[in-house]
Amino acid sequence: MTSKPMVAVVGECMLELSQSSRSGAAPTAGGTLSLSYGGDTLNTAVYLSRLGVAVEYVTALGDDNMSDWMIDQWRAEGVGCDLVARAANSVPGMYMIQTDASGERTFLYWRDSAPARKLFDDPAAAEALFAKIAGAQWLYLSGITLALYSEPARARFVGLLGEYRAAGGKIIFDGNYRPRLWPNGAAAQAAFQSVYQLAAVALPTLEDELMLFGDSDADAVIARLQAWGVAEIGLKMGGEGCLVVTEQDAELVASRQVEVVDTTAAGDSFNAGYLAARINGASAAESAQGGHNLASVVIQHRGAIIAREAMPAQ
């Protein structure tokens, strides 16, 4: 761990097969597919690192050469991998992106046996992992992170999050809701609420919150999260901007209007820009501007992780 402000990012990154190449992609036979990697939390970790934040990625991979390659790629981005567990006789999850003639994308997943899903299955190993995470000032996770684990493992994870917060750690939660990852809405609601009640900062998306909780509008989302004790909220509302609410103030921070090429990782990059600014002493509203600054550039490029030279000036 480092003495700098540090973020531990918990989640899963999978191998990605795609019909179009991405930055850093490894070509496959015949050149018809490209092999890369993808994951919401990994995207945020990479952008945090590029913004000068010391970050450790917390996940599990296999003991295969593709897992070795992924770790090499992450380390090349400055993302710490000391907390990446390696499972024997295992391989990482994988998904394929199929794109039709109109540009519509379809996703196919092979992730049920991925090592990341078992990260908190063993109580002793989970406690040992959190003992290492304890040095991080911030812990970042998403709704997709919560969906990875079995119900007992998720309960264990949330309990350890509570201990982390009690010891002074700050939790930042991106309410990234994907219905197909959950057995039912009630399970997702319970899991999200348990983490929102621990979060120092919540960065939900309005569309996801309305879908999951049935809130009537943005004000209802804010009221619910405040009732659960969230002191700082950055409610992402797409082209309308981000509604930033703290105990002292509420402000709609407008997004930057640009020509959108690809919205992949728009929220992930916004979260990185927001958190990086917050760590460096910016106000919540200023941090939202930092999030917009990065996300507005990312969505002008194809793929989740843009080329380094395309990064906006800090």
Side-chain angles (χ1 to χ4, degrees), residues 11-16 38-39 57-64 67 70 74 84-95 108-122 144-145 147-150 153 181:
E12 179 187 29
C13 184
M14 295 181 287
L15 290 168
E16 176 191 285
Y57 196 51
V58 184
T59 191
L61 292 174
D63 57 357
D64 60 302
S67 294
M70 291 167 78
W74 303 346
V84 176
R86 305 294 298 270
N89 303 312
S90 298
V91 294
M94 182 176 69
Y95 66 99
L108 303 174
Y109 289 89
W110 297 267
R111 71 191 308 183
D112 289 348
S113 300
R117 299 179 69 89
K118 305 172 185 177
L119 187 60
F120 297 103
D121 281 2
D122 180 83
I144 293 177
T145 306
L148 290 172
Y149 314 125
S150 67
L181 299 180

Side-chain angles (χ1 to χ4, degrees), residues 151-168:
E151 189 171 342
R154 185 162 54 244
R156 182 174 301 115
F157 176 50
V158 172
L160 291 167
L161 288 175
E163 294 178 10
Y164 170 82
R165 173 183 164 168

Side-chain angles (χ1 to χ4, degrees), residues 96-181:
M96 177 182 285
I97 305 174
Q98 296 179 318
T99 308
D100 64 20
S102 67
E104 187 69 23
R105 298 188 302 171
T106 302
F107 293 81
L108 303 174
Y109 289 89
W110 297 267
R111 71 191 308 183
D112 289 348
S113 300
R117 299 179 69 89
K118 305 172 185 177
L119 187 60
F120 297 103
D121 281 2
D122 180 83
E127 290 184 9
L129 177 58
F130 259 81
K132 298 175 182 177
I133 291 174
Q137 296 186 23
W138 292 85
L139 187 152
Y140 175 94
L141 73 152
S142 75
I144 293 177
T145 306
L146 291 179
L148 290 172
Y149 314 125
S150 67
E151 189 171 342
R154 185 162 54 244
R156 182 174 301 115
F157 176 50
V158 172
L160 291 167
L161 288 175
E163 294 178 10
Y164 170 82
R165 173 183 164 168
K170 297 178 181 179
I171 296 168
I172 183 166
F173 181 50
D174 169 21
N176 198 348
Y177 176 54
R178 297 295 178 267
R180 58 179 169 71
L181 299 180

Side-chain angles (χ1 to χ4, degrees), residues 9 14 32 77 104 107 134 173 177 183 193 241-242 258 278:
V9 177
M14 295 181 287
T32 57
E77 285 284 358
E104 187 69 23
F107 293 81
F173 181 50
Y177 176 54
Q193 180 176 348
C242 179
V258 298
R278 206 73 175 102

Side-chain angles (χ1 to χ4, degrees), residues 240-244 251-255 284-286 288-289 292:
E240 293 184 53
C242 179
L243 179 58
V244 178
E251 180 179 347
L252 178 61
V253 181
S255 58
E286 291 167 340
Q289 291 283 9
H292 287 321

